Amino acid sequence: MSKAFQSIKGMNDILPQDSPAWHYLETCLRQLTASYGYSEIRMPIVENTQLFCRSIGEVTDIVEKEMYTFVDKGEDSLTLRPEGTASCVRAGIQHGLLYNQQQRLWYMGPMFRRERPQKGRYRQFYQFGLETFGFKGPDIDVEVIALSARLWKMIGLENVELQINSLGSNQAREAYKEKLVEYLQDNFDSLDADSQRRLNSNPLRVLDTKNPAMKAVVDAAPKLMEHLDDESAEHFELLKRKLDALGIAYVINPNLVRGLDYYNRSVFEWVTTELGAQGTICAGGRYDGLVEQLGGQATFGCGFAMGLERIILLLQQQPQFSNKLSSKCDVYLCTLGEQAEFAGLTLAESLREQLPSLKLQLHSGGGNFKKQLKKADKSGAVIALILGDDELHEKQVSVKHLREKRPQENVSFSQLSTEIERLLA
Ligand code: ATP
Ligand code: MG
């Protein structure tokens, strides 16, 4: 026997026992986005490599080392998308959705990054993302934050903290960078190797270090927040006041800079302490320069992306969660005898037609009564319907209760759908 294939490292199968949780989360997200007036957009999984280099930034972890890039038949360099914002902006420009318009969009799907796999960090992972275009003021920042806060409420997630910061305008940030570089150079010996390398290429990322040994030097660094341009400072004040008005709690994290280059002004992350190092479940902010940078007319932008695996992990940690969901069927139909087998086939179809939300499994593969009942029990069904040649002759089925002690009863074909509805209610 040859060795069985395995999935690619960091790329996971979502197994049947987990898909109800995914469906639940996806349904909540669809309902929620509709309730805020957002529309879905679906982009291809593969894009031109340059799209990501020009938007995310050449000197970022993603572009430097995490992208799955290949040359297509010796011609174009293509990349499996590591995130959705760049593709969404590309699609918006290409189809004329952005210029002089306002858009509220969402997408959901797999992203690819070649990272070291661990709990909550994979090489293929799913994001739900939301992008808005054409809104200048902080009201839209507040809206996307409020929408995410409502999701946590909807699915019962507690212990998530909202962190916010402002990166200011590009100009103010450039001026600040000079001060920061000066400070970091003065403290060069206290920096770890990664930060020494980033000092010149992407100094803001030094603030984002996860190395505890760097905490003191980072804490003492000049603060971007103190170097904001007036307009950005005002924008940030208004953002905070509106969050206060909604009763959405936040902490200001002056070292929150985000790993992608396109952000400006407001940035935010929702962080939990319950997933170890992979604590960020949602991250986003404004990217007012990105549309122009990718060849469109200057358009305001603001959005976020959530890592769905991390949210599923949190959901599955909730004790009450497992009973809430199941992919089990409601009814299992057993047939005994050749005539009943044929009749069962049409009976099952007719029940599915009459009760579209009924989950009914029809026994397949024959076998004696005992064997069929065992399968019925395993299916999770609440009732088994038994159709033998005798029942068929009487145009009825026998209903057996699988989860409670109740006598078996006979129900006529004509009453069956009504009776099933009553029994399952
Ligand atoms: P992290 O700091 O955890 O690497 P990031 O800043 O690289 O996150 P973003 O690019 O902002 O992440 O993506 C938004 C969200 O997508 C993250 O907050 C996280 O929930 C999720 N995410 C990012 N990378 C992964 C991954 N490799 N596996 C699973 N989820 C991920
Ligand atoms: Mg990352």
Side-chain angles (χ1 to χ4, degrees), residues 283-313:
R286 294 191 72 92
Y287 46 85
D288 296 321
L290 183 59
V291 177
E292 199 175 13
Q293 202 179 315
L294 291 179
Q297 305 271 352
T299 306
F300 300 107
C302 178
F304 66 67
M306 294 177 179
L308 297 186
E309 284 84 355
R310 295 185 190 178
I311 298 173
I312 298 275
L313 283 169

Side-chain angles (χ1 to χ4, degrees), residues 47-80:
E47 298 271 3
N48 230 293
T49 302
Q50 274 309 309
L51 174 68
F52 301 117
C53 302
R54 273 189 25 211
S55 54
I56 297 168
E58 297 277 1
V59 195
T60 55
D61 287 349
I62 295 178
V63 172
E64 272 182 330
K65 52 188 187 200
E66 296 173 358
M67 295 207 300
Y68 285 94
T69 296
F70 61 98
V71 176
D72 184 22
K73 293 267 183 223
E75 286 182 24
D76 305 312
S77 174
L78 305 182
T79 293
L80 299 188

